[in-house]
Amino acid sequence: MTITAASTSRAPSTSPAVDRRELEARVKAMYREVAETPEGDFHFEMGRALAERLGYEPNALDRIPAAAIDSFAGVGHFLDLAELLPGETVLDLGSGSGMDSLLAALAVEPEGRVLGLDMTEAQREKASGLAAEAGFTNVEFHAGYIESPPFADGSVDVVISNGVINLSADKPRVFAEAARVLRPGGRLALADIVTEAPLPEKVSCNATLWAACIGGASQQDDYRAAIEAAGLTVRIVREHPEYRFLTESARGASETYGVKSISLLAIKA
């Protein structure tokens, strides 16, 4: 389903009082496992079958290392919304093992540039190694946090992200920083997890459920309001009903609170 979104004046809500240090530790541990043992058991699907079901083109996937696809833990497809052009600079927030970054590198061609940003060392090492082995010269992976990307104001044409912003305890800051690094007219294209109903504190303050991409999910109107409060105009929002959680507890949360995957496009004025 594709929705051309209208403006909203709703103010973004603040994040719940999750223990941020515990959250960071749990997220790093989980996504280290995603990088190193993608065949393991997780709350979410991973790999090529998921990517193709979400809408990624098989021909494009064939052009990047299979190991990057094996550790793909995204929640939607948004590269068609990004409409990447040769020569553009792209920032991938939470780049993981590099699947979206590498696909973006193909789209912007050698004269373009892709900057992957991730706080998990194992993910960065895997992505960097795969990019080098495959001969990608226009993509680089940086250590850092999506709340404070180490890049100059107005230095990026497009910001992308897949299933990561829900993990942040300070989403308004993530969107403000995305707007900061974007040039005027730049695009934010992402996929993420949101909810139809607000999550109760027993879920939203549980760091384990945050790391599983559930506890940190914002109510969809609040999520959009945070984007627009950062000075970005939401143009398109669409749902991904083909995305699903695997475990019984995750499916239960999805049914009870309307936890779902969306992708969206927003523009900086």
Side-chain angles (χ1 to χ4, degrees), residues 190-263:
L190 61 82
D192 208 2
I193 299 296
V194 298
T195 70
E196 294 176 356
L199 296 172
E201 284 193 10
K202 66 180 180 180
V203 176
S204 63
C205 292
N206 185 314
T208 299
L209 291 176
W210 274 68
C213 292
I214 296 172
S218 293
Q219 198 276 338
Q220 57 192 355
D221 293 335
D222 291 338
Y223 191 91
R224 177 185 171 143
I227 294 173
E228 297 197 330
L232 303 169
T233 300
V234 176
R235 293 285 178 81
I236 297 173
V237 180
R238 68 187 180 197
E239 296 183 9
H240 290 283
E242 63 275 14
Y243 182 79
R244 55 179 177 264
F245 292 102
L246 296 180
T247 63
E248 183 176 347
S249 60
R251 289 197 301 268
S254 179
E255 294 171 2
T256 302
Y257 305 108
V259 180
K260 61 186 179 181
S261 166
I262 63 165
S263 58

Side-chain angles (χ1 to χ4, degrees), residues 136-228:
F136 282 83
T137 59
N138 63 341
V139 59
E140 54 196 60
F141 295 94
H142 297 258
Y145 296 88
I146 63 175
E147 298 86 357
S148 53
F151 306 108
D153 296 1
S155 61
V156 171
D157 297 294
V158 187
V159 173
I160 62 174
S161 185
N162 200 334
V164 174
I165 297 174
N166 74 86
L167 298 171
S168 174
D170 193 349
K171 296 173 185 61
R173 182 174 175 185
V174 174
F175 294 127
E177 285 293 291
R180 178 186 66 78
V181 300
L182 281 171
R183 64 167 178 77
R187 291 104 68 200
L188 170 68
L190 61 82
D192 208 2
I193 299 296
V194 298
T195 70
E196 294 176 356
L199 296 172
E201 284 193 10
K202 66 180 180 180
V203 176
S204 63
C205 292
N206 185 314
T208 299
L209 291 176
W210 274 68
C213 292
I214 296 172
S218 293
Q219 198 276 338
Q220 57 192 355
D221 293 335
D222 291 338
Y223 191 91
R224 177 185 171 143
I227 294 173
E228 297 197 330

Side-chain angles (χ1 to χ4, degrees), residues 51-68:
E52 290 191 13
R53 194 172 73 248
L54 291 174
Y56 285 85
E57 291 291 336
N59 291 340
L61 296 175
D62 288 341
R63 299 176 62 192
I64 66 173

Side-chain angles (χ1 to χ4, degrees), residues 95-98 101-102 114-117 124 127-128 131 139-143:
S95 47
S97 291
S101 291
L102 295 174
V114 178
L115 308 168
L117 181 68
R124 296 193 309 273
S128 296
V139 59
E140 54 196 60
F141 295 94
H142 297 258

